[in-house]
Amino acid sequence: MTTISSGRTAEAPPTDPDPVDRTPPRMPELGPLELLRWMWRQLTSMRVALILLFLLALAAVPGSVIPQTAQNPAAVRDFVAAHPAAAPWLDRLGLFNVFGSIWFAAIYLLLFVSLVGCFLPRSWQHAAALRARPPATPRNLARLPGYRKFETGAGPGPVVAAAGQELRRARFRVVVEPRTVRAEKGYLRETGNLLFHLAVLGLLVAFAAGKMYGFRGTALVVEGDGFTNTPTQYDALTPGRMLDPDRLSPFTLELSDFSARYLESGPQRGQPADFAAVVDYAPEPGTAMQTHRIRVNHPLEARGVKVFLGAHGYAPVVTVRDADGEIVFHGAVPFIRQEPTSLASGGVIKVPDAVPDQLGFDGFFLPTAAFDPKLGPISTFPAALNPRLVLTGWRGDLGMDAGIPQSVYRLDTRKLIQLRAGSDPAAGPWRTALAPGQRAELPGKLGSITFDGYREWVNLEIAKDPGRIPALVSAALALIGLLLSLSIRRRRVWVRASADEPGRTVVEIGALARTEAPGLDDEVDRLAARLRERLGVADNDVGATEKDLEAADTDPEVADRGLESAGTDFGVRDRD
Amino acid sequence: MVNETLASISYNLVVSATAVYALALFAYVAEWAFGARSRVGRTVPALATAGGAGEAAGGPGSDAGVETPLPAGAPGNAAPVDRAERLGRIGVSLTVLACGLHLAGVLTRGLSVGRVPWGNMYEFVTAGTLVVVLVYLGLLRRFDARWLGLFVTMPVLLALGAAVTVLYVDAGQLMPALHSVWLVIHVAAAVIASGCFTIGAVLTLLYLGLDLRVRHGLGPAYIGARRLPDPDVIDRMAYRVFAFAFPIWTFAVIAGAIWAENAWGRYWGWDPKETWSFITWVVFAGYLHARVTAGWKGRAAAMIALVGIGCLLFNLFGVNIWIIGKHSYAKI
């Protein structure tokens, strides 16, 4: 922030005392307080801020290259399986969770400390600058980058009065003195700059707060089923650290219909065209149900909780009868999509209540079934135009009574025997392909299975982020601040009227911009022209300087020169 | 759904535009080549007639101070200078013609599918290069920036060539996730910012090259009979382009976050595309800070800007091709 280069060399860090030599250093150059101050100055210097910025960019790179637990846990599992040697080390370094890792947090927290350390003194300086008057007129205006000079018959008094009016009209802050005018404009640049940095800070706070007080989860819901917003109803739930999971917003909903539309012709046949879910929901228990249509990009919003559509698929409805002819299972079983484009889905049906043996089935749901000579049964279209349920069967112990939680999408076949197509031990596995309404008898008089039909399911993604509106406001303010600080030029203009001879006043205009200011010359030109007009000076009476002639001769770009080297102190200095 | 006739007209327009850009590039190169020859060839006759501005060959050891830019149509011009000037103007005319075809190609693509024409990488590249050319033509109106023509048409030609061959996908409908007004806003901002960043990159590379030339005492550079601006003038131009593009990029990221919040329930989730747009943003923020930091302005800041461009390009191509994330539907 401030020019610290001189301070840094004056307050050099203490040299490490020789570890063997126990005698204290002869001249301790810095006490602990000075050391702290030195470190603070380092941290708040622009150089260190820049280095931290680049470290932040660099640190984010592995987060996009190495799979991340928060974004794609399945990819992390695959990666760990594929790289057994490297994975533990990557894990120890936090590379599977880069954006939650300590070192990533360390970089951005240091950066924000640096930002605050820059922001505070700069705000005070700016507050002082806002109250201050434009500085005194330099002695030699001709040395300023924007310089014009002309003569008039009007006296100095009318000249400075006219100049003051013109500059005020151009919304400069103006001080008129007997012989000179001091004016300054563009304070909003620094205001915008400070606003931007403050808003970025606000964005970080809003992001963190949203993470801490919000939650995110997914729940698979089959058409006709309901969902209540309690932790047990989620398939996966990530509550914020400061959120009591038992106090989620208590809404309930019922999925009455899910529909997907697909392109039916052309090269993109099978690509989804639209998804929609119709739900009845009550924001709180006991309140009246309302109907809402959830579509992609159009979530349901109830009391700050948003419900989105995630993955979707089919749940075949089956009825299983056991050897006694009793209905031992009836229901919709969600199958998980195996093929994203054709929606061929795989799943298992567990029938623990069947006698004499428990029964299990695994197989595929094919929405639009076809038979491929090489691949066997396949699905050719994601919509259920010709649905088939292809199953094989198992008997024995499903292992569900052991008390160990098991996946509903996988059969534990360790204590199961696969059903065979015939009594001959050499016969192939029993297999059936059912159309809706069809029934298959199980071999060995074990019972039957009926494919009653199908329902669709959808993964509801449910999220609450109380930080999102503050984050949006912060982002908008940051953008406004950025636009102000990049588009506004802070500049000073001085006018001097010197009456060396009676009846002849020399008018000098000098202008200085703090940063690169294309158009400063034009602005001075306009001011000079307006003044000449008001004071009744003919255009050909212009005493153009050498610099003007030179500038007019070359490329217009050459004319607006950089002003950083102008050497005039502008009150607020840049960081280092 | 898809108007196949319009789609094929669009493709032909973009291919034609690519061809005309190639012709424009030839014209700019010819301007350079003929102008350079003319400078050597003109020295003797110009000195002999003692008419126009004398100009020494800009080789090592030549006195750069003697050289002055030769305005078009100055008296005493030798024929090669006229030829170089003519070639340069032909280059600009061809660029304008190509830009017209390009614009028509992008518009017809949009009309053929009844949506904004920036839904996949082919469309993004055709729209982005259009922005690059429009910014160049805009600069041309305000400044005497014809020297940029060569350096702008080259990357545009490369990108469009890749677009019509490797990246091309048939006109079609978009995934439901892309049915959003934010597609129009977020991607349009990203296209415009990317186009401007590209111009900034061209200027930065030119700045670094010319700066190297100056530091080796090689005097000012010419294209044809026209002298290129001084390195720091080009550097300032690059800064202005970046300072214009950066808020647009910021807006694109914010608009993307709003869309993500609407589509996926979180406004920021460190998806690879988000991560790389963040990296790009941070690097350009670093560039803007470096510009006002002693010891960093000039070459160091320019190098930072080039790193930023690298991140931008990686986000556009690398992330789409190699990394699977939530933006994967924006297929190649």
Side-chain angles (χ1 to χ4, degrees):
Chain A
M1 147 116 357
T2 49
T3 33
I4 67 146
S5 46
S6 55
R8 192 167 59 236
T9 43
E11 298 174 333
T15 47
D16 278 328
D18 189 345
V20 184
D21 184 5
R22 291 281 162 208
T23 55
R26 280 169 301 160
M27 280 286 289
E29 286 170 353
L30 288 179
L33 204 66
E34 280 89 349
L35 180 66
L36 272 177
R37 197 158 65 189
W38 175 81
M39 281 167 63
W40 176 251
R41 284 198 177 183
Q42 283 291 310
L43 185 60
T44 55
S45 78
M46 182 68 109
R47 207 163 47 93
V48 171
L50 269 174
I51 291 168
L52 286 171
L53 261 180
F54 295 127
L55 273 180
L56 185 67
L58 202 64
V61 173
S64 76
V65 180
I66 299 170
Q68 298 293 299
T69 313
Q71 275 73 36
N72 197 344
V76 174
R77 278 195 296 277
D78 293 347
F79 188 92
V80 170
H83 305 87
W89 286 101
L90 295 178
D91 192 31
R92 240 163 273 169
L93 293 171
L95 285 165
F96 295 122
N97 185 20
V98 166
F99 304 108
S101 69
I102 291 173
W103 47 272
F104 192 76
I107 295 172
Y108 69 73
L109 287 178
L110 273 177
L111 188 62
F112 277 94
V113 170
S114 166
L115 196 158
V116 171
C118 172
F119 178 83
L120 290 178
R122 213 161 155 155
S123 305
W124 295 322
Q125 283 175 359
H126 187 52
L130 284 176
R131 286 193 307 270
R133 285 147 45 101
T137 311
R139 193 146 19 118
N140 190 353
L141 287 180
R143 287 168 77 181
L144 296 179
Y147 179 68
R148 300 290 181 281
K149 181 175 150 189
F150 62 90
E151 290 177 6
T152 173
V159 170
V160 291
Q165 277 177 9
E166 284 302 327
L167 285 165
R168 275 201 194 94
R169 186 177 297 169
R171 307 190 55 190
F172 274 81
R173 181 174 296 185
V174 178
V175 174
V176 178
E177 291 173 331
R179 290 288 166 104
T180 68
V181 179
R182 297 142 54 175
E184 183 162 358
K185 186 182 177 178
Y187 296 87
L188 263 181
R189 181 191 183 92
E190 181 70 358
T191 310
N193 192 7
L194 293 171
L195 175 67
F196 168 77
H197 287 94
L198 188 66
V200 169
L201 210 62
L203 193 58
L204 179 80
V205 172
F207 187 75
K211 281 255 181 291
M212 276 193 260
Y213 292 94
F215 68 86
R216 243 185 112 65
T218 58
L220 187 150
V221 181
V222 181
E223 280 174 320
D225 287 356
F227 171 83
T228 310
N229 193 21
T230 52
T232 51
Q233 296 251 313
Y234 281 94
D235 299 319
L237 176 67
T238 325
R241 221 167 274 174
M242 306 295 285
L243 183 82
D244 180 358
D246 295 325
R247 294 188 54 203
L248 304 178
S249 319
F251 71 90
T252 59
L253 64 78
E254 214 177 280
L255 179 66
S256 55
D257 181 55
F258 177 82
S259 56
R261 238 172 13 86
Y262 306 93
L263 298 179
E264 285 168 13
S265 60
Q268 293 169 294
R269 184 174 183 272
Q271 179 180 304
D274 197 15
F275 303 120
V278 178
V279 295
D280 298 319
Y281 77 99
E284 270 174 50
T287 53
M289 289 289 232
Q290 303 166 31
T291 303
H292 187 88
R293 210 171 132 83
I294 309 177
R295 293 171 53 219
V296 181
N297 286 319
H298 299 279
L300 161 70
E301 193 170 353
R303 307 267 162 106
V305 180
K306 284 189 164 188
V307 183
F308 303 83
L309 300 183
H312 65 103
Y314 293 97
V317 181
V318 295
T319 305
V320 179
R321 291 179 173 81
D322 64 8
D324 301 337
E326 294 289 321
I327 293 180
V328 284
F329 180 85
H330 174 76
V333 185
F335 275 34
I336 300 303
R337 60 162 92 179
Q338 310 276 324
E339 274 257 343
T341 44
S342 70
L343 274 186
S345 311
V348 303
I349 302 158
K350 298 182 184 180
V351 190
D353 298 337
V355 287
D357 283 334
Q358 293 187 326
L359 290 174
F361 301 90
D362 70 347
F364 293 95
F365 178 86
L366 306 170
T368 300
F371 193 83
D372 185 278
K374 275 191 203 132
L375 303 169
I378 55 163
S379 175
T380 56
F381 194 72
L385 304 178
N386 180 29
R388 286 289 183 283
L389 184 61
V390 180
L391 292 175
T392 57
W394 303 74
R395 57 180 289 190
D397 181 2
L398 290 168
M400 293 168 80
D401 307 324
I404 303 160
Q406 55 171 231
S407 167
V408 293
Y409 302 112
R410 201 168 295 164
L411 279 181
D412 180 1
T413 56
R414 279 175 302 180
K415 292 180 185 170
L416 292 175
I417 308 158
Q418 189 160 25
L419 303 182
R420 301 258 146 205
S423 48
D424 184 356
W430 172 80
R431 179 192 267 275
T432 184
L434 300 172
Q438 286 184 338
R439 182 160 95 159
E441 298 297 330
L442 303 182
K445 304 241 180 303
L446 285 170
S448 69
I449 181 162
T450 313
F451 177 31
D452 300 313
Y454 64 89
R455 288 195 243 153
E456 290 187 72
W457 58 261
V458 62
N459 249 335
L460 293 181
E461 296 187 358
I462 299 160
K464 181 178 179 174
D465 186 346
R468 71 198 162 92
I469 296 298
L472 182 62
V473 171
S474 300
L477 289 177
L479 188 59
I480 292 168
L482 190 62
L483 285 169
L484 289 177
S485 75
L486 286 176
S487 62
I488 289 177
R489 295 160 288 128
R490 177 106 165 251
R491 56 234 188 251
R492 290 171 180 168
V493 172
W494 293 276
V495 179
R496 172 177 288 128
S498 10
D500 299 334
E501 300 167 29
R504 194 170 145 270
T505 306
V506 177
V507 182
E508 287 177 291
I509 304 171
L512 177 68
R514 182 157 158 263
T515 46
E516 290 170 17
L520 183 73
D521 253 28
D522 294 344
E523 194 168 15
V524 179
D525 268 340
R526 274 198 304 278
L527 176 66
R530 293 280 300 159
L531 273 180
R532 281 203 300 268
E533 194 183 306
R534 286 185 63 152
L535 298 167
V537 181
D539 269 357
N540 55 10
D541 199 12
V542 182
T545 62
E546 218 169 282
K547 189 178 279 173
D548 292 332
L549 292 171
E550 184 192 295
D553 231 9
T554 48
D555 189 296
E557 274 300 306
V558 184
D560 52 52
R561 40 201 91 233
L563 301 165
E564 298 114 310
S565 56
T568 306
D569 181 26
F570 240 90
V572 181
R573 280 169 297 179
D574 282 317
R575 288 174 116 186
D576 192 9
Chain B
M1 292 267 248
V2 178
N3 185 330
E4 301 291 345
T5 323
L6 264 181
S8 89
I9 289 174
S10 163
Y11 180 72
N12 288 327
L13 281 169
V14 174
V15 171
S16 317
T18 313
V20 181
Y21 281 128
L23 292 177
L25 181 68
F26 281 137
Y28 289 129
V29 170
E31 178 197 9
W32 197 349
F34 284 118
R37 202 189 312 145
S38 80
R39 224 168 348 122
V40 183
R42 188 162 38 82
T43 314
V44 178
L47 289 174
T49 52
E55 209 172 301
S62 76
D63 184 3
V66 177
E67 295 182 317
T68 47
L70 211 89
N77 267 4
V81 180
D82 284 341
R83 195 163 56 192
E85 181 64 27
R86 219 169 24 243
L87 284 165
R89 289 185 183 184
I90 288 173
V92 172
S93 308
L94 286 171
T95 312
V96 172
L97 175 65
C99 181
L101 292 168
H102 195 165
L103 178 68
V106 169
L107 288 178
T108 44
R109 175 82 175 193
L111 289 173
S112 77
V113 283
R115 56 170 171 80
V116 286
W118 44 77
N120 53 45
M121 217 153 107
Y122 164 74
E123 293 170 357
F124 191 95
V125 171
T126 45
T129 44
L130 181 64
V131 172
V132 172
V133 177
L134 287 173
V135 171
Y136 162 60
L137 293 177
L139 287 174
L140 209 56
R141 274 183 70 91
R142 279 194 60 185
F143 313 109
D144 182 14
R146 204 173 73 198
W147 46 271
L148 250 179
L150 178 62
F151 306 103
V152 165
T153 36
M154 220 171 340
V156 164
L157 192 61
L158 277 174
L160 268 188
V164 294
T165 53
V166 187
L167 302 177
Y168 184 76
V169 287
D170 282 320
Q173 300 305 310
L174 298 175
M175 305 291 284
L178 294 177
H179 298 173
S180 169
V181 64
W182 291 104
L183 173 72
V184 184
I185 299 166
H186 161 65
V187 187
V191 166
I192 293 170
S194 302
C196 294
F197 276 136
T198 308
I199 291 272
V202 166
L203 288 167
T204 304
L205 283 171
L206 257 179
Y207 158 70
L208 287 172
L210 291 179
D211 182 64
L212 204 68
R213 205 184 144 91
V214 167
R215 276 185 296 131
H216 281 76
L218 289 174
Y222 285 82
I223 285 188
R226 285 161 174 257
R227 191 170 135 180
L228 289 181
D230 289 339
D232 40 321
V233 173
I234 294 181
D235 182 41
R236 270 206 301 284
M237 254 178 126
Y239 167 72
R240 277 208 247 165
V241 172
F242 284 134
F244 176 76
F246 186 68
I248 302 178
W249 182 252
T250 310
F251 175 75
V253 174
I254 295 173
I258 297 172
W259 186 8
E261 208 276 326
N262 255 305
W264 304 322
R266 86 287 185 293
Y267 57 89
W268 197 265
W270 298 109
D271 171 72
K273 202 88 173 174
E274 293 170 349
T275 305
W276 278 96
S277 62
F278 169 79
I279 294 171
T280 309
W281 190 88
V282 166
V283 172
F284 276 109
Y287 164 78
L288 291 179
H289 283 90
R291 288 274 317 186
V292 294
T293 307
W296 289 71
K297 59 182 94 173
R299 263 173 289 148
M303 298 305 286
I304 296 170
L306 289 186
V307 172
I309 292 293
C311 295
L312 184 86
L313 290 179
F314 183 77
N315 199 12
L316 176 55
F317 297 106
V319 171
N320 282 32
I321 293 169
W322 294 307
I323 301 178
I324 292 172
K326 277 193 177 261
H327 281 75
S328 295
Y329 48 69
K331 55 188 161 189
I332 299 167

